[in-house]
Amino acid sequence: MASSIIIPWIFYIQILAISSKAIAAVPAIIVFGDSSIDAGNNNYLPTLAKCNFEPYGRDFPGGNPTGRFCNGRLPPDFVSEGFGLKPSIPAYLDPTFSISDFATGVCFGSSGSGYDNFTAAILKVFPLWKQVEFFKDYQTKLRAYLGDEKANEVISEALYIISVGTNDFLINYYNFPQRRTQFTIPKYENFLIGNAEDFIRKIYSLGARKLSLTGLPPMGCLPLQRTLNLKNPHSCSEERNKVALEFNEKLKVSVVKLMIELPGLEVLYTDVYELLSQLITQPSQYGFEVAEAACCGTGLFETGILCNRLTPHTCLDADRYVFWDAFHPSERANKIMSDEMLPSLKQAFL
C-alpha cells in the first residue's frame, strides 16, 4: 500500500523537475532590431519614428500606446508568452520598468534602425551598435541584481530575437543617393550581410548563444509599397520582393557560416517572408478580410505620425486586417505568425 502511494509521488516530482528544466532552458527573451520588435525605446528620442499616441496600442492590455508600431502586441511578446515567460517584453529605456522586470525579457530595439548605421541616422534613432551598448549596460545591472553566476546563466541561456533590415532598403537605399552611388543592390546586400555577421559576433562575444534571426518580409507587398508602385498601382512590387528573397538567401548562408565559426552558437533562421506572404495571398483562410490596405486611415500610406487619433477612416476592427498601418502587421497577424514560429523555436532551444 505504501509503495503505491510513494511511486506516483516520485513520478510526479520527476515530471515537475523535467518541466522546470524545460522552462528554465530559456530564462529570458532579449530583443534587438527595428519597428518590427521595438517595444517603445523611441519614445525617449527626438525622432519622427515613434508612435506613443492613439490609436496605436488601442488593443494592447490597458489600451495604452506603448510605442509599439501596432494596435497591440508584437511577435517577441507572443514568443515570450509561448515560452512561459511574461506576456509582453518591456523597452529598456522605459523608466516604469527596472532590472527585476528586464531579468526575464528586455527590448533594445529602435524603430527606423537597420544593419546600416546610416539607416538609423536618417531618422535619428538607435543603430545596432548603440543597442549593443544598452546590452552591455543591462549585463552590468543584471550581475548586480542576480549575482555573476546566475546572471551569466541568464545571458547564455536566453533566446535572442533579431529582426531588422527592411529599413535599410525602404527608408535608406531607395530614398537616398548615398548608398545607391556606392553599391549596386547585390553589393549593398553583401554589405548588410557583413554588418549582420559583425553584429552577431559582437553579441556572441558578450555571451549570446541562442539566436532567432528574422529575414526580410515580402516588403513589396506592404501597403505603402503598393501605393508607391507606379508601374502597377496597388499591386505588390515584385522587384522589391525579389530583393528581399535574394537577401534572405544570403542571410541563410551566413547563418551556417557563423555556426561553424563560433563554437556553441545556435541560430534559427525565421522565414517571415513565407509566413506573411501566406496571410497576404490567402487572407480568408486565416480569417482576414483585407490584405492590400491597412486598418489605419485610408490604409494606403498612413504610418507613424500620419496614423493618429484624428486620422479619418480608421477601421473599427483591426482583426479583419493583415496590416495595422501601411508598414506594420496587425496584432492578430503578429499572433498568427508567432504561433507558426513557436514550435520551431521550442524544438531548437528547449
Side-chain angles (χ1 to χ4, degrees):
M1 183 66 150
S3 62
S4 65
I5 296 172
I6 293 170
I7 290 172
W9 272 106
I10 291 172
F11 178 71
Y12 178 64
I13 291 166
Q14 286 174 332
I15 291 294
L16 282 178
I18 292 167
S19 175
S20 299
K21 185 179 179 183
I23 292 171
V26 174
I29 308 291
I30 298 175
V31 190
F32 296 91
D34 57 21
S35 60
S36 60
I37 53 77
D38 181 6
N41 286 310
N42 280 19
N43 296 352
Y44 310 98
L45 281 176
T47 177
L48 290 174
K50 65 172 69 175
C51 59
N52 54 340
F53 44 80
E54 298 175 353
Y56 285 95
R58 71 182 193 186
D59 298 311
F60 193 84
N64 297 317
T66 61
R68 289 168 171 81
F69 272 87
C70 188
N71 58 304
R73 290 191 286 168
L74 300 176
D77 298 319
F78 291 115
V79 170
S80 175
E81 188 173 52
F83 273 89
L85 300 170
K86 55 197 171 195
S88 61
I89 296 178
Y92 188 56
L93 297 185
D94 189 332
T96 64
F97 295 97
S98 67
I99 191 60
S100 62
D101 303 294
F102 300 143
T104 54
V106 62
C107 175
F108 303 117
S110 180
S111 301
S113 196
Y115 286 119
D116 184 348
N117 288 336
F118 181 64
T119 301
I122 292 169
L123 288 169
K124 298 181 174 59
V125 301
F126 297 120
L128 283 181
W129 69 262
K130 183 62 177 179
Q131 296 180 36
V132 171
E133 292 302 308
F134 289 147
F135 183 38
K136 291 178 183 176
D137 183 61
Y138 164 77
Q139 290 193 2
T140 300
K141 292 176 181 176
L142 191 68
R143 291 189 173 101
Y145 177 65
L146 294 177
D148 287 352
E149 185 178 350
K150 181 62 177 173
N152 289 339
E153 181 184 336
V154 169
I155 291 163
S156 64
E157 296 296 331
L159 170 59
Y160 294 79
I161 296 176
I162 303 163
S163 180
V164 66
T166 304
N167 298 323
D168 292 312
F169 293 98
L170 299 188
I171 291 178
N172 183 351
Y173 191 88
Y174 289 119
N175 289 312
F176 292 87
Q178 181 170 328
R179 294 309 191 202
R180 288 203 310 275
T181 57
Q182 287 179 279
F183 302 107
T184 62
I185 286 179
K187 288 184 177 178
Y188 188 56
E189 291 168 358
N190 295 341
F191 170 74
L192 296 178
I193 292 294
N195 288 352
E197 290 177 355
D198 289 344
F199 168 73
I200 290 171
R201 290 187 188 101
K202 283 176 186 172
I203 63 171
Y204 174 87
S205 72
L206 294 168
R209 291 296 182 270
K210 300 177 178 180
L211 276 58
S212 169
L213 183 61
T214 306
L216 298 186
M219 55 189 186
C221 291
L222 303 181
L224 180 59
Q225 295 305 303
R226 289 177 184 263
T227 301
L228 296 173
N229 185 4
L230 301 180
K231 292 180 182 178
N232 196 358
H234 305 298
S235 296
C236 295
S237 168
E238 295 308 325
E239 180 264 333
R240 296 193 178 181
N241 281 349
K242 180 172 175 281
V243 169
L245 287 169
E246 288 173 354
F247 179 84
N248 288 346
E249 288 305 311
K250 293 178 180 180
L251 198 60
K252 292 176 193 175
V253 172
S254 183
V255 164
V256 175
K257 170 187 169 183
L258 288 167
M259 286 198 289
I260 293 170
E261 175 189 331
L262 303 173
L265 180 67
E266 300 173 72
V267 185
L268 180 68
Y269 171 80
T270 301
D271 190 355
V272 72
Y273 188 102
E274 179 60 26
L275 293 172
L276 188 53
S277 289
Q278 288 178 18
L279 304 190
I280 292 168
T281 59
Q282 305 170 68
S284 61
Q285 289 192 22
Y286 297 90
F288 293 107
E289 296 176 21
V290 185
E292 297 83 8
C295 168
C296 192
T298 63
L300 302 178
F301 63 88
E302 295 90 344
T303 188
I305 194 64
L306 296 177
C307 174
N308 59 68
R309 64 184 181 85
L310 300 178
T311 302
H313 311 302
T314 296
C315 77
L316 297 177
D317 182 7
D319 284 353
R320 296 168 48 231
Y321 289 73
V322 174
F323 291 95
W324 160 249
D325 68 16
F327 213 86
H328 305 95
S330 65
E331 178 185 57
R332 185 162 172 270
N334 285 333
K335 174 72 162 63
I336 291 170
M337 290 189 288
S338 300
D339 286 347
E340 289 290 324
M341 297 175 202
L342 271 166
S344 297
L345 289 169
K346 289 181 176 180
Q347 184 177 7
F349 300 121
L350 282 183

